[in-house]
Amino acid sequence: MTGTTATPPPPRRGTGRRPTMADVARAAGVNPSTVSRALDDRHSFSRSDTAARIKQIAAQLGYTPNPAAANLRRQSTRTIGVVMSSITGTVMAMLYEEIAEACRDHGLDALLATTRDDLEAETALGRMLLNRRVDGLILATARLDASDGFLTELAADGTPYVLALRTDGHSPAVVGDDRLGGYLAARHLLDLGHRRIGMIAGPPYASNALGRVTGLREALTEAGIEVDERLVRSSGFSMESGESTAAELLALPDGQRPTALVTVNDNTAVGALAAARRHGLAVPRDLSVVGYNDTPLAARLPISLTSVRVPLGEIGRGAVDMLLRIMQERPVRSLVHAPTLIPRESTAPAP
């Protein structure tokens, strides 16, 4: 059974209780950490319009900072919060290991929270990490359909944060060149003579998935091949999603069925291999498959997987370095790392 508890109004002058930072935050509709930055003249955020409004509310409430508490708040916890969709997938696990190792090199700890790509969970867990006084956040959960979500809150609060692997289009980020990766995968298949190339495209809210689709489209258009929209299908990032989406593509009538598939990651590629086997198709004789990320599994499958290698080490370490620069109020710019195509046994000339 659940219920709601009414929030009491903030104290007024003369109530007998000294107003707290939490009272100011509640009256201003912001986090206490935002009030702290607004009242700290050493912080650039203190000169913003939002900070001016917070200062006015603090004055109206009669709030005066406690110097001892302020000194305690300014102490670094030497801890970075990391927000990911999950670490059951190999890519996210590898990225987290790189981030954690880079943190250790800087004498920092990494505290992880996983969201299962749920927007509400991202907000709740991100706030939980901030309440534990992490010095900043690295998020690998950015979505293109969340224009007014948690990242907007972080930017408004002046919280140091960096995106990794995925971007929202304007926040500081360290990512792979997904458009180039999708292009390289499609170009490889075109060079092998394939003309009916399908794609298990991933979710449309993820910038990395969208970039890989864009690259595939560019390669096909450059080759003078009209994109058959029936062959480009959204999916999740899991093996199960790859298998079900591949099954739909392979069930198309002869002449319409793809002879090759580009997949959004190695997990969906493994699912596609399973679907091909169920349809009685041999890889690569009847169907070529290209994965993405080049996880350790790719080279060790019974039919080794052609895949696009993403420099996860550079992305993870770059995200930590960028976050440290932001925390030091130094200028940063987003970084894009080039991928590499690794040809293996799962691709062959078109049948």
Side-chain angles (χ1 to χ4, degrees):
M1 180 176 176
T2 60
T4 58
T5 303
T7 301
R12 294 171 294 181
R13 292 180 183 269
T15 60
R17 180 169 73 83
R18 179 189 179 97
T20 67
M21 184 177 293
D23 295 326
V24 178
R26 187 160 47 246
V30 298
N31 289 330
S33 60
T34 307
V35 177
S36 175
R37 284 188 291 275
L39 302 181
D40 185 349
D41 291 335
R42 300 179 305 173
H43 199 291
S44 59
F45 177 67
S46 68
R47 295 181 287 279
S48 67
D49 292 341
T50 301
R53 182 176 68 85
I54 293 171
K55 290 175 183 178
Q56 182 180 13
I57 292 171
Q60 291 171 349
L61 294 177
Y63 170 76
T64 55
N66 181 327
N71 287 335
L72 178 62
R73 281 193 301 274
R74 281 195 287 267
Q75 291 178 358
S76 169
T77 62
R78 307 296 295 170
T79 303
I80 301 301
V82 183
V83 182
M84 293 182 161
S85 56
S86 74
I87 55 170
T88 55
T90 307
V91 172
M92 288 298 184
M94 293 171 64
L95 179 63
Y96 177 70
E97 287 180 358
E98 296 290 350
I99 290 172
E101 184 175 343
C103 284
R104 287 193 295 272
D105 290 345
H106 289 285
L108 305 170
D109 292 321
L111 187 60
L112 174 67
T114 57
T115 69
R116 296 189 178 275
D117 248 343
D118 180 85
L119 279 172
E120 292 184 1
E122 177 187 64
T123 299
L125 292 170
R127 289 173 178 168
M128 177 271 291
L129 290 171
L130 293 176
N131 288 337
R132 295 191 179 188
R133 299 176 56 228
V134 297
D135 295 334
L137 293 174
I138 296 175
L139 304 101
T141 52
R143 297 174 62 121
L144 299 174
D145 61 353
S147 58
D148 195 29
F150 183 55
L151 298 184
T152 303
E153 178 181 317
L154 293 178
D157 288 353
T159 301
Y161 76 97
V162 168
L163 307 183
L165 275 189
R166 284 155 47 173
T167 177
D168 63 350
H170 51 82
S171 297
V174 185
V175 298
D177 190 337
D178 296 297
R179 184 207 60 79
L180 176 59
Y183 178 91
L184 292 174
R187 186 69 258 175
H188 171 66
L189 294 170
L190 288 167
D191 290 344
L192 290 171
H194 292 275
R195 294 299 177 265
R196 293 196 58 76
I197 300 173
M199 183 161 193
I200 300 174
Y205 61 74
S207 64
N208 51 355
L210 189 62
R212 293 163 199 181
V213 175
T214 300
L216 175 129
R217 292 180 182 277
E218 289 181 4
L220 293 179
T221 300
E222 183 183 274
I225 298 173
E226 184 178 353
V227 178
D228 186 341
E229 298 300 337
R230 294 171 299 177
L231 301 185
V232 180
R233 306 208 177 192
S234 296
S235 71
F237 288 112
S238 67
M239 293 183 192
E240 294 79 7
S241 181
E243 183 172 4
S244 61
T245 307
E248 295 172 5
L249 291 167
L250 298 180
L252 292 171
D254 290 343
Q256 298 180 26
R257 188 174 66 198
T259 62
L261 291 175
V262 175
T263 63
V264 71
N265 63 9
D266 289 347
N267 277 350
T268 52
V270 170
L273 295 177
R277 185 174 63 250
R278 287 198 292 109
H279 279 75
L281 300 176
V283 175
R285 186 191 66 201
D286 303 317
L287 178 73
S288 288
V289 178
V290 179
Y292 207 103
N293 292 317
D294 193 36
T295 57
L297 174 68
R300 293 165 177 82
L301 292 168
I303 300 171
S304 60
L305 182 66
T306 296
S307 189
V308 178
R309 178 175 295 167
V310 177
L312 294 174
E314 294 178 30
I315 292 174
R317 291 178 173 277
V320 174
D321 291 342
M322 183 179 291
L323 182 61
L324 291 175
R325 289 181 64 90
I326 292 173
M327 289 161 52
Q328 297 161 4
E329 298 191 357
R330 298 166 63 191
V332 299
R333 60 182 178 85
S334 292
L335 299 175
V336 181
H337 294 281
T340 307
L341 180 80
I342 309 298
R344 296 194 182 93
E345 297 171 335
S346 68
T347 50

